[in-house]
Amino acid sequence: MKLKAGVLKNQYILLSLFAAGLLFWSSLAALLPTLPLYMEDVGATKQQIGIVLGCFAIGMLLFRSFFGRLADQRGRKIVLIIGMLVNAIAPLGYILVQSIPGLMAVRAFHGLSIAAFTTGFLALVADLAPEKNRGEIMGYMSLVTPIGTAIGPALGGYLQATSGYTLLFLLSTGLAGMGLLCLVPIVNPPIHKQNKSDSDSSKFWRLLFSPRVRVLASIMLMIGLAFGALHTFVPLFIKAARVDLNPGLFYTAGALASFSVRFFTGKASDRYGRGLFITLSLVVYAISMMLLAFATTANVFLIAGTLEGAGSGILMPMISTVIADRSLQQERGRVFSLCIMGLDFGIAIAGPIFGSVAEQVGYRNMFGFCAGLAILALLIFLTQGNKNFTDSLRFALGRGKDAYSLNQS
């Protein structure tokens, strides 16, 4: 009876967490297709738009490690609440501030929301998921991202076109406020006491250079660069190419594809291994960037968006599950935060770097470079993803186990 009660309690927590995650990503994604256009309307250049949007990742980079330690020391709920609260407050700043320095500050503050919420969300799901079907549960719980990023951009683009920016920003705040209510019933799992040596900052940063973390963080960096360019410049690229396509539909197509693949890849990874699906995701991501570089019609843009969504929809849950496999509960918040910091850093530098690239050589060459980054990430994983070249290749092709996994049952 106690076991059954514990299972039901975990299911209730996961349901509340799913609802909170859905509202969080809907709030955040409502601004994806509209913020670049908003900044262009207030007079920002392409490079300034890239810099402002890149500041979002600065907030993530500066505080990701702090929230990782906080999640391990004080529990997952506190960082979830901080993330959702920041997500509710930040959109109001876009209403009040229109100068470039002011928008940079608001955007950096907004970045705290993802640093806190995603760290707490992933760590808590990994805590509650049984080892035997961890991939399946993490895959299902990761659905909050594509559902939210499907609803948000379509709704945000519609409100911006029909009612202006003020109502759009108020909607974003309202969704996050509802998400705070969903976090109230969540209860932290027992907190494992840590040795002083385990929780100090030097130990934290040594984790980054450990073999089980380093390659995953490097892959996230490569994809973060491509992802940052995609979500900063696609609306402007569509406009510059004079293609009759609502940019929100590009993101919606990607979100729907990301949603679809997560239904089966998580469960399949429990059977066939995580490495095969990480390899597949990187191949698909590279193809999507190549298509985007040559896109001249709405259909090609939508196909590229669909493939990008499928690639990220496989990659993100698989990387998260591998991180969970390779970490203990008392260090999981820190390990998650370190790996995802690779993504944060890529997004942070993508805006200003690719803004300059777009000014010099145009959007097409910029996305061609992004395809090269995805191919580089694939080569790193194929050759360095495990203890040696042979083990790496076998793991990446689904022919061998993860040598760094703490669950070898």
Side-chain angles (χ1 to χ4, degrees):
M1 289 295 293
K2 288 184 178 180
L3 179 61
K4 185 176 181 180
V7 171
L8 290 174
K9 181 181 177 181
N10 285 355
Q11 290 176 345
Y12 178 67
I13 294 174
L14 287 172
L15 183 61
S16 298
L17 190 60
F18 188 93
L22 182 61
L23 289 163
F24 175 87
W25 285 107
S26 296
S27 169
L28 201 66
L31 306 181
L32 276 179
T34 51
L35 269 181
L37 301 175
Y38 173 67
M39 282 180 277
E40 191 174 58
D41 286 348
V42 299
T45 65
K46 292 178 183 177
Q47 188 171 16
Q48 287 174 330
I49 292 171
I51 291 172
V52 171
L53 296 185
C55 285
F56 186 82
I58 293 176
M60 292 190 285
L61 278 170
L62 292 178
F63 288 89
R64 178 78 76 177
S65 61
F66 168 76
F67 290 128
R69 289 194 295 267
L70 185 63
D72 287 336
Q73 295 168 3
R74 297 286 302 276
R76 321 304 190 195
K77 185 173 182 177
I78 182 65
V79 293
L80 288 168
I81 291 174
I82 291 171
M84 192 71 80
L85 188 61
V86 170
N87 207 28
I89 295 172
L92 301 177
Y94 299 117
I95 300 175
L96 301 174
V97 178
Q98 292 190 347
S99 67
I100 299 302
L103 288 171
M104 290 171 62
V106 173
R107 194 64 179 158
F109 173 71
H110 206 170
L112 299 182
S113 63
I114 282 195
F117 190 86
T118 56
T119 299
F121 185 92
L122 291 170
L124 183 55
V125 172
D127 292 343
L128 297 175
E131 291 179 353
K132 64 180 181 180
N133 59 341
R134 179 177 286 154
E136 180 181 9
I137 291 177
M138 294 198 74
Y140 289 152
M141 290 298 293
S142 72
L143 287 169
V144 298
T145 305
I147 296 174
T149 52
I151 296 171
L155 185 57
Y158 173 77
L159 281 178
Q160 183 270 332
T162 59
S163 304
Y165 292 106
T166 299
L167 186 58
L168 165 69
F169 294 136
L170 290 176
L171 168 76
S172 182
T173 291
L175 290 171
M178 293 170 61
L180 278 170
L181 299 177
C182 296
L183 295 176
V184 173
I186 290 176
V187 178
N188 282 313
I191 299 173
H192 292 260
K193 291 185 178 180
Q194 303 174 42
N195 297 325
K196 185 177 180 181
S197 61
D198 290 335
S199 57
D200 63 30
S201 59
S202 62
K203 171 71 174 180
F204 178 81
W205 289 109
R206 282 199 301 270
L207 280 172
L208 176 60
F209 297 100
S210 65
R212 59 186 171 130
V213 175
R214 183 179 62 242
V215 170
L216 298 178
S218 299
I219 292 171
M220 295 294 267
L221 171 62
M222 300 294 105
I223 298 304
L225 284 163
F227 184 87
L230 183 90
H231 285 269
T232 301
F233 295 108
V234 161
L236 300 174
F237 182 25
I238 292 173
K239 183 178 179 180
R242 297 183 178 179
V243 175
D244 186 18
L245 176 67
N246 178 353
L249 294 178
F250 175 90
Y251 296 112
T252 299
L256 290 174
S258 181
F259 172 83
S260 300
V261 298
R262 294 177 197 232
F263 271 108
F264 63 87
T265 53
K267 186 174 183 178
S269 76
D270 289 328
R271 181 176 180 180
Y272 300 108
R274 327 293 188 201
L276 177 63
F277 293 95
I278 293 176
T279 300
L280 176 63
S281 69
L282 293 172
V283 170
V284 173
Y285 212 94
I287 293 172
S288 73
M289 292 296 107
M290 292 178 189
L291 275 178
L292 197 57
F294 293 99
T296 56
T297 66
N299 286 338
V300 177
F301 272 104
L302 290 175
I303 292 171
T306 300
L307 289 176
E308 188 277 334
S312 61
I314 300 171
L315 179 67
M316 300 307 176
M318 287 300 100
I319 291 283
S320 298
T321 307
V322 172
I323 295 170
D325 290 341
R326 295 181 176 188
S327 60
L328 301 170
Q329 184 174 350
Q330 59 266 32
E331 64 177 2
R332 194 163 282 152
R334 288 168 289 164
V335 176
F336 269 117
S337 66
L338 281 169
C339 286
I340 301 173
M341 277 178 68
L343 185 71
D344 297 344
F345 186 65
I347 295 172
I349 63 177
I353 288 177
F354 288 121
S356 298
V357 172
E359 291 277 7
Q360 298 297 321
V361 299
Y363 293 116
R364 298 191 185 282
N365 290 326
M366 182 191 75
F367 284 113
F369 186 73
C370 290
L373 289 172
I375 294 171
L376 177 60
L378 175 63
L379 293 175
I380 290 173
F381 184 66
L382 288 171
T383 59
Q384 301 180 48
N386 240 285
K387 288 190 174 182
N388 54 56
F389 176 80
T390 301
D391 288 345
S392 297
L393 195 59
R394 287 177 58 83
F395 176 56
L397 298 178
R399 300 296 182 180
K401 293 184 178 180
D402 182 5
Y404 296 119
S405 175
L406 302 180
N407 173 35
Q408 295 290 347
S409 57

